[in-house]
Amino acid sequence: MTPTRFAISRDKLPALVQAMPKAELHMHIEGSLEPELIFALAQRNGVALSYPSVEALRAAYAFTDLQSFLDIYYAGASVLLKEQDFHDMAWAYLLKAKADNVVHTEMFFDPQTHTDRGVPFEVVIKGLKSACDRAKTELGVSASLIMCFLRHLSEEAAFKTLEEALPFRQHFIGVGLDSSERGHPPEKFARVFAKCKELGLHLVAHAGEEGPPAYIISALDVLNVERIDHGVRCVEDPALVQRLARQGTALTVCPLSNIKLCVFKKMEDHNLKTLLQHGLKATVNSDDPAYFGGYMNQNFLATFADLDLDADDAYTLARNSFEASFVDAQTKAGWIAQLDATFARFA
Ligand code: ADE
Ligand code: ZN
């Protein structure tokens, strides 16, 4: 057990969570499209939606598993056609990140969701990148992009996407693997990830959200990923838990997502506290905040309320988010110093 370091009472936790600087390492930018923006973009672009109103769309957000969510999530993304649409979507998220004191975010995007509808890769990445640049200058928020391959598609399709992305190599820092996990093991993408490693890209993959611990092991051993997205099912394999703890592999955990997608029945059953007790480098993230009921601080607050987490856990989670981020050591140290100063003010 980690010794208690901060004598900060529980009633101060909401203010502490708000005030502490933090990094977000697992969010899909297409999952930040709020129903209001979906309807506004549909109207702007003349796209027909199968829901009559914002309220009707929001009412459809009752998911039973990952696939039931993905079906609606891909339909929502159909309103994105122009560079400005991608910019507006990312900017709306970055304003929310700023409000939650997220000082650094590594945003996933799914190019195949757009290129398969005829939207050029260039349109997607330029719109997103201009929002990232604007966040730096106007908000002081550092934002970078991680390109995800859709795992329900083929490795060949992933290679094609990588080829389209290469002229924009300087606009993204890494690649990830998302979409339907069951039946699509990491090893399906072994060659494309090997190529991305050669290109010097950072590597991450969703594993152990709905899929078994074996998928986490193959993400590590076959894909050579640096972080595991979700990874909550690692607890089913004690040897894997020991390995993740020993290696200091970060898990980008998404509590509200896990409840909405029925990975856990209710927040009291979530294993975030257990992961921390095992010494795992867990972080808190919002995944698809517009669909799962909350951005970063709402994820922290919901988790803290139901899992008996305290100020020490808040510190560990925020510190982990910086340590696991893909920035240089000096930048990490600067943010950790800001985190320390925040906790010193509250103590
Ligand atoms: N794409 C968007 N959100 C996802 C999630 N939680 N798991 C897998 N793919 C996703
Ligand atoms: Zn995700």
mmCIF file with all atom_site columns, all heavy atoms in Angstrom, residues 30 58 64 77 126 140 144 173 192 225 230 244 272 294 307:
data_model
loop_
_atom_site.group_PDB
_atom_site.id
_atom_site.type_symbol
_atom_site.label_atom_id
_atom_site.label_alt_id
_atom_site.label_comp_id
_atom_site.label_asym_id
_atom_site.label_entity_id
_atom_site.label_seq_id
_atom_site.pdbx_PDB_ins_code
_atom_site.Cartn_x
_atom_site.Cartn_y
_atom_site.Cartn_z
_atom_site.occupancy
_atom_site.B_iso_or_equiv
_atom_site.pdbx_formal_charge
_atom_site.auth_seq_id
_atom_site.auth_comp_id
_atom_site.auth_asym_id
_atom_site.auth_atom_id
_atom_site.pdbx_PDB_model_num
ATOM 1   N N   . GLU A 1 30  ? -14.395 11.843 -32.444 1.00 0.00 ? 30  GLU A N   1
ATOM 2   C CA  . GLU A 1 30  ? -15.755 11.663 -32.991 1.00 0.00 ? 30  GLU A CA  1
ATOM 3   C C   . GLU A 1 30  ? -16.763 11.358 -31.875 1.00 0.00 ? 30  GLU A C   1
ATOM 4   O O   . GLU A 1 30  ? -17.966 11.549 -32.058 1.00 0.00 ? 30  GLU A O   1
ATOM 5   C CB  . GLU A 1 30  ? -15.794 10.534 -34.034 1.00 0.00 ? 30  GLU A CB  1
ATOM 6   C CG  . GLU A 1 30  ? -15.018 10.824 -35.316 1.00 0.00 ? 30  GLU A CG  1
ATOM 7   C CD  . GLU A 1 30  ? -13.548 10.401 -35.253 1.00 0.00 ? 30  GLU A CD  1
ATOM 8   O OE1 . GLU A 1 30  ? -13.065 10.074 -34.149 1.00 0.00 ? 30  GLU A OE1 1
ATOM 9   O OE2 . GLU A 1 30  ? -12.877 10.393 -36.309 1.00 0.00 ? 30  GLU A OE2 1
ATOM 10  N N   . ARG A 1 58  ? -30.612 11.678 -28.235 1.00 0.00 ? 58  ARG A N   1
ATOM 11  C CA  . ARG A 1 58  ? -30.027 11.431 -26.903 1.00 0.00 ? 58  ARG A CA  1
ATOM 12  C C   . ARG A 1 58  ? -30.728 10.242 -26.222 1.00 0.00 ? 58  ARG A C   1
ATOM 13  O O   . ARG A 1 58  ? -30.069 9.443  -25.539 1.00 0.00 ? 58  ARG A O   1
ATOM 14  C CB  . ARG A 1 58  ? -30.117 12.703 -26.068 1.00 0.00 ? 58  ARG A CB  1
ATOM 15  C CG  . ARG A 1 58  ? -29.176 12.697 -24.912 1.00 0.00 ? 58  ARG A CG  1
ATOM 16  C CD  . ARG A 1 58  ? -29.016 14.028 -24.200 1.00 0.00 ? 58  ARG A CD  1
ATOM 17  N NE  . ARG A 1 58  ? -27.775 14.727 -24.518 1.00 0.00 ? 58  ARG A NE  1
ATOM 18  C CZ  . ARG A 1 58  ? -27.703 15.971 -24.951 1.00 0.00 ? 58  ARG A CZ  1
ATOM 19  N NH1 . ARG A 1 58  ? -28.794 16.675 -25.130 1.00 0.00 ? 58  ARG A NH1 1
ATOM 20  N NH2 . ARG A 1 58  ? -26.534 16.526 -25.200 1.00 0.00 ? 58  ARG A NH2 1
ATOM 21  N N   . THR A 1 64  ? -26.120 -1.549 -24.822 1.00 0.00 ? 64  THR A N   1
ATOM 22  C CA  . THR A 1 64  ? -26.050 -2.833 -24.112 1.00 0.00 ? 64  THR A CA  1
ATOM 23  C C   . THR A 1 64  ? -24.643 -3.414 -24.164 1.00 0.00 ? 64  THR A C   1
ATOM 24  O O   . THR A 1 64  ? -24.279 -4.275 -23.377 1.00 0.00 ? 64  THR A O   1
ATOM 25  C CB  . THR A 1 64  ? -27.022 -3.845 -24.751 1.00 0.00 ? 64  THR A CB  1
ATOM 26  O OG1 . THR A 1 64  ? -26.808 -3.824 -26.179 1.00 0.00 ? 64  THR A OG1 1
ATOM 27  C CG2 . THR A 1 64  ? -28.461 -3.464 -24.463 1.00 0.00 ? 64  THR A CG2 1
ATOM 28  N N   . ALA A 1 77  ? -21.204 10.277 -36.888 1.00 0.00 ? 77  ALA A N   1
ATOM 29  C CA  . ALA A 1 77  ? -20.055 10.856 -37.596 1.00 0.00 ? 77  ALA A CA  1
ATOM 30  C C   . ALA A 1 77  ? -20.373 11.164 -39.068 1.00 0.00 ? 77  ALA A C   1
ATOM 31  O O   . ALA A 1 77  ? -19.599 11.859 -39.738 1.00 0.00 ? 77  ALA A O   1
ATOM 32  C CB  . ALA A 1 77  ? -18.864 9.901  -37.506 1.00 0.00 ? 77  ALA A CB  1
ATOM 33  N N   . LYS A 1 126 ? -6.528  18.041 -41.559 1.00 0.00 ? 126 LYS A N   1
ATOM 34  C CA  . LYS A 1 126 ? -6.292  19.492 -41.522 1.00 0.00 ? 126 LYS A CA  1
ATOM 35  C C   . LYS A 1 126 ? -7.271  20.188 -40.567 1.00 0.00 ? 126 LYS A C   1
ATOM 36  O O   . LYS A 1 126 ? -6.894  21.104 -39.842 1.00 0.00 ? 126 LYS A O   1
ATOM 37  C CB  . LYS A 1 126 ? -6.389  20.086 -42.923 1.00 0.00 ? 126 LYS A CB  1
ATOM 38  C CG  . LYS A 1 126 ? -5.145  19.827 -43.762 1.00 0.00 ? 126 LYS A CG  1
ATOM 39  C CD  . LYS A 1 126 ? -5.183  20.664 -45.015 1.00 0.00 ? 126 LYS A CD  1
ATOM 40  C CE  . LYS A 1 126 ? -3.887  20.573 -45.788 1.00 0.00 ? 126 LYS A CE  1
ATOM 41  N NZ  . LYS A 1 126 ? -4.065  21.078 -47.172 1.00 0.00 ? 126 LYS A NZ  1
ATOM 42  N N   . GLY A 1 140 ? -3.947  27.689 -24.290 1.00 0.00 ? 140 GLY A N   1
ATOM 43  C CA  . GLY A 1 140 ? -2.806  27.162 -23.539 1.00 0.00 ? 140 GLY A CA  1
ATOM 44  C C   . GLY A 1 140 ? -2.938  25.666 -23.291 1.00 0.00 ? 140 GLY A C   1
ATOM 45  O O   . GLY A 1 140 ? -2.329  25.116 -22.378 1.00 0.00 ? 140 GLY A O   1
ATOM 46  N N   . SER A 1 144 ? -2.515  16.775 -29.159 1.00 0.00 ? 144 SER A N   1
ATOM 47  C CA  . SER A 1 144 ? -1.935  16.050 -30.290 1.00 0.00 ? 144 SER A CA  1
ATOM 48  C C   . SER A 1 144 ? -2.897  14.953 -30.735 1.00 0.00 ? 144 SER A C   1
ATOM 49  O O   . SER A 1 144 ? -3.888  14.661 -30.062 1.00 0.00 ? 144 SER A O   1
ATOM 50  C CB  . SER A 1 144 ? -0.557  15.504 -29.930 1.00 0.00 ? 144 SER A CB  1
ATOM 51  O OG  . SER A 1 144 ? -0.578  14.974 -28.647 1.00 0.00 ? 144 SER A OG  1
ATOM 52  N N   . ILE A 1 173 ? 1.030   11.892 -33.745 1.00 0.00 ? 173 ILE A N   1
ATOM 53  C CA  . ILE A 1 173 ? 2.174   11.382 -32.969 1.00 0.00 ? 173 ILE A CA  1
ATOM 54  C C   . ILE A 1 173 ? 2.193   9.860  -32.878 1.00 0.00 ? 173 ILE A C   1
ATOM 55  O O   . ILE A 1 173 ? 3.196   9.282  -32.472 1.00 0.00 ? 173 ILE A O   1
ATOM 56  C CB  . ILE A 1 173 ? 2.188   11.972 -31.538 1.00 0.00 ? 173 ILE A CB  1
ATOM 57  C CG1 . ILE A 1 173 ? 0.897   11.606 -30.786 1.00 0.00 ? 173 ILE A CG1 1
ATOM 58  C CG2 . ILE A 1 173 ? 2.384   13.487 -31.588 1.00 0.00 ? 173 ILE A CG2 1
ATOM 59  C CD1 . ILE A 1 173 ? 0.972   11.860 -29.294 1.00 0.00 ? 173 ILE A CD1 1
ATOM 60  N N   . VAL A 1 192 ? 1.107   -4.041 -39.889 1.00 0.00 ? 192 VAL A N   1
ATOM 61  C CA  . VAL A 1 192 ? 0.934   -2.592 -40.024 1.00 0.00 ? 192 VAL A CA  1
ATOM 62  C C   . VAL A 1 192 ? 1.505   -1.868 -38.786 1.00 0.00 ? 192 VAL A C   1
ATOM 63  O O   . VAL A 1 192 ? 2.106   -0.788 -38.911 1.00 0.00 ? 192 VAL A O   1
ATOM 64  C CB  . VAL A 1 192 ? -0.542  -2.216 -40.339 1.00 0.00 ? 192 VAL A CB  1
ATOM 65  C CG1 . VAL A 1 192 ? -1.444  -2.289 -39.149 1.00 0.00 ? 192 VAL A CG1 1
ATOM 66  C CG2 . VAL A 1 192 ? -0.609  -0.824 -40.958 1.00 0.00 ? 192 VAL A CG2 1
ATOM 67  N N   . VAL A 1 225 ? 2.824   -2.321 -28.204 1.00 0.00 ? 225 VAL A N   1
ATOM 68  C CA  . VAL A 1 225 ? 2.245   -1.040 -27.794 1.00 0.00 ? 225 VAL A CA  1
ATOM 69  C C   . VAL A 1 225 ? 2.884   -0.520 -26.509 1.00 0.00 ? 225 VAL A C   1
ATOM 70  O O   . VAL A 1 225 ? 3.394   -1.283 -25.687 1.00 0.00 ? 225 VAL A O   1
ATOM 71  C CB  . VAL A 1 225 ? 0.708   -1.119 -27.598 1.00 0.00 ? 225 VAL A CB  1
ATOM 72  C CG1 . VAL A 1 225 ? 0.020   -1.515 -28.899 1.00 0.00 ? 225 VAL A CG1 1
ATOM 73  C CG2 . VAL A 1 225 ? 0.341   -2.071 -26.469 1.00 0.00 ? 225 VAL A CG2 1
ATOM 74  N N   . HIS A 1 230 ? -8.063  1.002  -22.089 1.00 0.00 ? 230 HIS A N   1
ATOM 75  C CA  . HIS A 1 230 ? -8.972  0.230  -21.209 1.00 0.00 ? 230 HIS A CA  1
ATOM 76  C C   . HIS A 1 230 ? -8.123  -0.759 -20.391 1.00 0.00 ? 230 HIS A C   1
ATOM 77  O O   . HIS A 1 230 ? -7.576  -0.390 -19.372 1.00 0.00 ? 230 HIS A O   1
ATOM 78  C CB  . HIS A 1 230 ? -10.085 -0.487 -21.981 1.00 0.00 ? 230 HIS A CB  1
ATOM 79  C CG  . HIS A 1 230 ? -11.071 0.451  -22.590 1.00 0.00 ? 230 HIS A CG  1
ATOM 80  N ND1 . HIS A 1 230 ? -11.928 1.230  -21.854 1.00 0.00 ? 230 HIS A ND1 1
ATOM 81  C CD2 . HIS A 1 230 ? -11.343 0.748  -23.894 1.00 0.00 ? 230 HIS A CD2 1
ATOM 82  C CE1 . HIS A 1 230 ? -12.691 1.957  -22.665 1.00 0.00 ? 230 HIS A CE1 1
ATOM 83  N NE2 . HIS A 1 230 ? -12.345 1.693  -23.903 1.00 0.00 ? 230 HIS A NE2 1
ATOM 84  N N   . LEU A 1 244 ? 2.208   -6.106 -15.888 1.00 0.00 ? 244 LEU A N   1
ATOM 85  C CA  . LEU A 1 244 ? 1.878   -4.703 -16.193 1.00 0.00 ? 244 LEU A CA  1
ATOM 86  C C   . LEU A 1 244 ? 2.425   -3.784 -15.100 1.00 0.00 ? 244 LEU A C   1
ATOM 87  O O   . LEU A 1 244 ? 2.932   -2.690 -15.389 1.00 0.00 ? 244 LEU A O   1
ATOM 88  C CB  . LEU A 1 244 ? 0.356   -4.533 -16.321 1.00 0.00 ? 244 LEU A CB  1
ATOM 89  C CG  . LEU A 1 244 ? -0.294  -5.209 -17.531 1.00 0.00 ? 244 LEU A CG  1
ATOM 90  C CD1 . LEU A 1 244 ? -1.823  -5.247 -17.372 1.00 0.00 ? 244 LEU A CD1 1
ATOM 91  C CD2 . LEU A 1 244 ? 0.074   -4.481 -18.831 1.00 0.00 ? 244 LEU A CD2 1
ATOM 92  N N   . LEU A 1 272 ? -11.305 0.249  -10.827 1.00 0.00 ? 272 LEU A N   1
ATOM 93  C CA  . LEU A 1 272 ? -10.216 1.245  -10.836 1.00 0.00 ? 272 LEU A CA  1
ATOM 94  C C   . LEU A 1 272 ? -9.406  1.219  -9.539  1.00 0.00 ? 272 LEU A C   1
ATOM 95  O O   . LEU A 1 272 ? -8.175  1.238  -9.563  1.00 0.00 ? 272 LEU A O   1
ATOM 96  C CB  . LEU A 1 272 ? -10.792 2.653  -11.071 1.00 0.00 ? 272 LEU A CB  1
ATOM 97  C CG  . LEU A 1 272 ? -9.753  3.772  -11.064 1.00 0.00 ? 272 LEU A CG  1
ATOM 98  C CD1 . LEU A 1 272 ? -8.752  3.628  -12.213 1.00 0.00 ? 272 LEU A CD1 1
ATOM 99  C CD2 . LEU A 1 272 ? -10.413 5.152  -11.128 1.00 0.00 ? 272 LEU A CD2 1
ATOM 100 N N   . GLY A 1 294 ? -20.255 12.286 -19.736 1.00 0.00 ? 294 GLY A N   1
ATOM 101 C CA  . GLY A 1 294 ? -19.346 13.169 -19.021 1.00 0.00 ? 294 GLY A CA  1
ATOM 102 C C   . GLY A 1 294 ? -17.960 13.284 -19.594 1.00 0.00 ? 294 GLY A C   1
ATOM 103 O O   . GLY A 1 294 ? -17.436 12.347 -20.204 1.00 0.00 ? 294 GLY A O   1
ATOM 104 N N   . LEU A 1 307 ? -16.249 4.787  -5.408  1.00 0.00 ? 307 LEU A N   1
ATOM 105 C CA  . LEU A 1 307 ? -15.185 3.798  -5.167  1.00 0.00 ? 307 LEU A CA  1
ATOM 106 C C   . LEU A 1 307 ? -14.311 4.130  -3.958  1.00 0.00 ? 307 LEU A C   1
ATOM 107 O O   . LEU A 1 307 ? -13.248 3.530  -3.777  1.00 0.00 ? 307 LEU A O   1
ATOM 108 C CB  . LEU A 1 307 ? -14.302 3.663  -6.410  1.00 0.00 ? 307 LEU A CB  1
ATOM 109 C CG  . LEU A 1 307 ? -14.975 3.027  -7.631  1.00 0.00 ? 307 LEU A CG  1
ATOM 110 C CD1 . LEU A 1 307 ? -14.000 2.939  -8.787  1.00 0.00 ? 307 LEU A CD1 1
ATOM 111 C CD2 . LEU A 1 307 ? -15.509 1.639  -7.292  1.00 0.00 ? 307 LEU A CD2 1
#
